[in-house]
Amino acid sequence: MKILQGELKNNYNSFTKQYDRQYKKVKDSLKNSSQYLAGYQRVASLQAWNSLLLVNTISKSCQEFFLESQNDALTSLIMAQSGSWRVSLQSLRSCIENTLFCMYYKDHPIELRQWTKGEHKLNFTETMKYFTKHPDFSGLDESICGLDFLNREYSILSKAVHASAKSFRMTKGLKTTSLMNDNLHSLGAWNTRHQNTLRGLNTFLVVLHKDTLTGASHRNLRKTISLSIPVSMHIRIRKDLNINLFDPNK
């Protein structure tokens, strides 16, 4: 056993050096992509929601869910910057869950107390059914509510979590392990998932807080979330929700 442990120690030291070299190579190869800056701007929208509105409107226990969703979105960005694509997508799925759970438990304080004791378990399907029937979403098209985006993205991201599709494997086409790579197709795929997820979450949150965002209120929050919601949707949001967003190009 001592001989084996010695060999494993040497292998570990070799693996660590190899990992460090590969990490630097991949990160240097990907660092100039403008998609990462856009991703960070999208994540900033969650911080804006948290610090400019939710900190004053939801309980500390609910806010912990939302803080974790911010952490998930940032983790996804960092993992993408290092070329760890599957992990980055898994973090996005968790970001969706934590945001939805935050808003669900805001409306269900008794269930939240049960959850803190391990006596209440919430799942995505149950949560989406609740919001589909939520009065704030009544009469609104799903595309403006974010619910269709969240349903679609969660389904796609779940394939990465549950290893149910070869396309998400880091080792596809290889005969060895692969912790990271600088595949530009994977970067584009991650950017699409990240973009759609943050778009869905922001429109979802806008609908839930539409009465708070009308007129000139929360100008800085509306500016920040405008970076995550396509300009093509701004007119519909103004018409259907009476909320004015900002064109990032102006």
Side-chain angles (χ1 to χ4, degrees):
M1 288 300 294
K2 288 185 177 181
I3 294 177
L4 174 61
Q5 289 176 325
E7 291 178 352
L8 291 175
K9 181 179 180 180
N10 291 334
N11 289 344
Y12 170 73
N13 291 334
S14 176
F15 163 77
T16 301
K17 292 178 181 179
Q18 181 181 359
Y19 167 82
D20 289 341
R21 288 194 297 269
Q22 186 181 12
Y23 175 80
K24 185 178 186 306
K25 176 179 177 294
V26 171
K27 195 168 178 64
D28 287 346
S29 176
L30 295 171
K31 68 180 180 180
N32 292 323
S33 174
S34 61
Q35 295 178 83
Y36 293 129
L37 173 58
Y40 184 83
Q41 291 175 337
R42 291 191 292 266
V43 177
S45 65
L46 298 182
Q47 170 61 20
W49 279 109
N50 198 8
S51 61
L52 299 177
L53 181 61
L54 298 182
V55 67
N56 298 315
T57 60
I58 63 176
S59 68
K60 181 180 178 181
S61 295
C62 284
Q63 197 173 5
E64 289 173 355
F65 279 101
F66 201 85
L67 181 61
E68 190 66 13
S69 76
Q70 287 181 248
N71 202 74
D72 289 330
L74 281 172
T75 298
S76 178
L77 175 63
I78 295 301
M79 290 298 98
Q81 286 179 316
S82 63
S84 296
W85 308 112
R86 186 168 174 231
V87 176
S88 69
L89 297 179
Q90 292 170 340
S91 297
L92 271 184
R93 183 179 184 264
S94 181
C95 177
I96 293 175
E97 289 177 331
N98 274 301
T99 305
L100 292 179
F101 292 176
C102 171
M103 293 296 107
Y104 177 90
Y105 283 123
K106 174 181 72 70
D107 294 343
H108 297 81
I110 301 303
E111 285 81 356
L112 177 57
R113 288 169 60 187
Q114 293 174 327
W115 180 86
T116 59
K117 297 179 180 180
E119 298 173 354
H120 189 266
K121 186 175 182 180
L122 194 59
N123 61 52
F124 177 79
T125 301
E126 177 187 354
T127 312
M128 289 302 290
K129 285 182 179 178
Y130 169 74
F131 285 113
T132 300
K133 298 179 180 179
H134 194 288
D136 284 342
F137 294 89
S138 178
L140 294 176
D141 187 271
E142 281 195 348
S143 62
I144 201 172
C145 298
L147 297 179
D148 61 335
F149 266 87
L150 295 179
N151 263 317
R152 189 183 310 122
E153 291 306 310
Y154 192 85
S155 177
I156 295 172
L157 295 169
S158 291
K159 294 178 181 179
V161 171
H162 299 304
S164 58
K166 286 185 178 181
S167 60
F168 291 108
R169 289 178 178 172
M170 291 292 295
T171 57
K172 66 180 182 227
L174 303 176
K175 295 183 179 180
T176 184
T177 57
S178 176
L179 302 179
M180 62 198 73
N181 64 66
D182 57 359
N183 185 290
L184 294 182
H185 175 75
S186 297
L187 169 59
W190 167 81
N191 184 62
T192 298
R193 302 278 74 80
H194 195 270
Q195 188 175 36
N196 287 349
T197 295
L198 272 295
R199 169 183 174 174
L201 290 176
N202 273 284
T203 49
F204 166 76
L205 291 168
V206 163
V207 172
L208 284 178
H209 299 88
K210 57 181 181 289
D211 294 336
T212 309
L213 298 175
T214 57
S217 61
H218 293 287
R219 180 182 178 87
N220 288 335
L221 173 57
R222 287 184 289 112
K223 279 187 173 182
T224 309
I225 63 180
S226 295
L227 298 171
S228 296
I229 300 176
V231 175
S232 59
M233 287 189 66
H234 291 190
I235 295 177
R236 288 193 61 196
I237 290 175
R238 184 183 305 115
K239 177 182 177 182
D240 295 355
L241 305 178
N242 195 31
I243 295 172
N244 293 311
L245 297 180
F246 298 83
D247 188 338
N249 300 313
K250 294 181 179 179

